[in-house]
Amino acid sequence: MNPLEVLGETRTPDGSDFKLARRGNEYIILANGKTLMSSRMHGSEEALATSGLREARTLRQPRVLIGGLGMGYTLRATLDLLPRGAEIVVAELVGEVVEWNRGLLGSLAGYPLKDRRVRMDVRDVAITLRAAHAHFDAVLLDVDNGPSAFSDTANAGVYDDRGLAAAHEALRPGGILAVWSAREDRKFEQRMRYAGFRVEVEHVRARLKKGGPHHVIFLGHKPDSSSGIPYTKH
Ligand SMILES: C[S@@+](CC[C@H](N)C(=O)[O-])C[C@H]1O[C@@H](n2cnc3c(N)ncnc32)[C@H](O)[C@@H]1O
């Protein structure tokens, strides 16, 4: 097996160690020594966009928030699905991840940061969510291993009751919250319902052409009528 070559290293605001490494052709982002993601398997990151954007992609000027840039696969799938009038905000906690995507990692997903529809928000997605009110048509969250967070201790707050309430508030009526997870999580599903979402659970495979580990996408639909305002296409 090829040796692991460390290409970059930084710390998240809570002090977690973040590394970019390469083994042969494979790029890996490690959080506290554990693989957060690898370029070898990224089908479920793309599925997050395909599932979460099923309504937004029918709009002329959809507004979408992606939480977690990673290697840009969810962002690439989003760009490929959405029209020219789309506005896509990507909230990324770690500035170096953005730099890695502008450089070494850029070619993996076809340099998605060069697309004019993209605006980077280099901060905690929880802050972006709390600042938005009935603004986004879809929110795609993949900031960690799923609702059982591990790369940044503060991430539990993205997936808890307050985090889900903020996501619900940030969405327009009829909008969709899509959450990537490495595994099933019944308690999280219940919390989504408690926050006011109608919940669907999709099982996807980690590799594009099927195969690889099983991952889960939680879809939370915000009802059209929650604010009393009919959902209008814009
Ligand atoms: C698993 S990766 C995302 C993978 C991405 N879906 C893709 O397609 O490549 C998680 C990303 O979320 C970022 N992140 C972690 N916590 C965050 C937070 N609270 N807010 C925003 N980004 C966060 C990490 O730095 C990392 O880039």
Side-chain angles (χ1 to χ4, degrees), residues 160-176:
D160 67 10
D161 288 344
R162 284 185 63 200
L164 288 172
H168 195 272
E169 175 63 25
L171 283 165
R172 287 165 49 89
I176 295 182

Side-chain angles (χ1 to χ4, degrees), residues 36-195:
L36 181 62
M37 74 173 299
S38 149
S39 61
R40 202 158 49 86
M41 286 187 276
H42 46 83
S44 58
E45 282 79 1
E46 281 133 347
L48 178 67
T50 317
S51 299
L53 299 175
R54 59 169 83 138
E55 299 292 337
R57 64 188 293 189
T58 67
L59 306 175
R60 270 189 299 120
Q61 294 178 302
R63 296 181 192 140
V64 172
L65 170 63
I66 298 177
L69 175 62
M71 295 181 181
Y73 295 114
T74 302
L75 176 57
R76 165 50 55 203
T78 298
L79 288 167
D80 290 349
L81 286 166
L82 295 187
R84 279 170 51 186
E87 181 189 303
I88 301 151
V89 178
V90 183
E92 169 55 53
L93 184 69
V94 182
E96 283 78 357
V97 169
V98 182
E99 292 316 309
W100 297 339
N101 273 269
R102 293 199 201 282
L104 277 171
L105 299 179
S107 63
L108 294 177
Y111 294 95
L113 295 183
K114 289 190 174 169
D115 193 299
R116 287 168 171 238
R117 293 171 290 174
V118 178
R119 179 167 67 77
M120 278 308 309
D121 214 2
V122 185
R123 61 179 179 177
D124 190 333
V125 68
I127 299 172
T128 308
L129 281 170
R130 284 202 298 268
H133 303 283
H135 182 80
F136 294 108
D137 298 293
V139 173
L140 312 180
L141 276 187
D142 180 14
V143 293
D144 222 302
N145 214 20
S148 325
F150 80 85
S151 78
D152 183 285
T153 48
N155 276 348
V158 176
Y159 302 99
D160 67 10
D161 288 344
R162 284 185 63 200
L164 288 172
H168 195 272
E169 175 63 25
L171 283 165
R172 287 165 49 89
I176 295 182
L177 168 67
V179 180
W180 187 97
S181 176
R183 60 189 76 88
E184 302 242 21
D185 190 331
R186 285 290 164 85
K187 286 193 177 153
F188 182 66
E189 272 179 61
Q190 279 172 8
R191 289 208 300 278
M192 287 182 85
R193 287 195 187 94
Y194 178 73

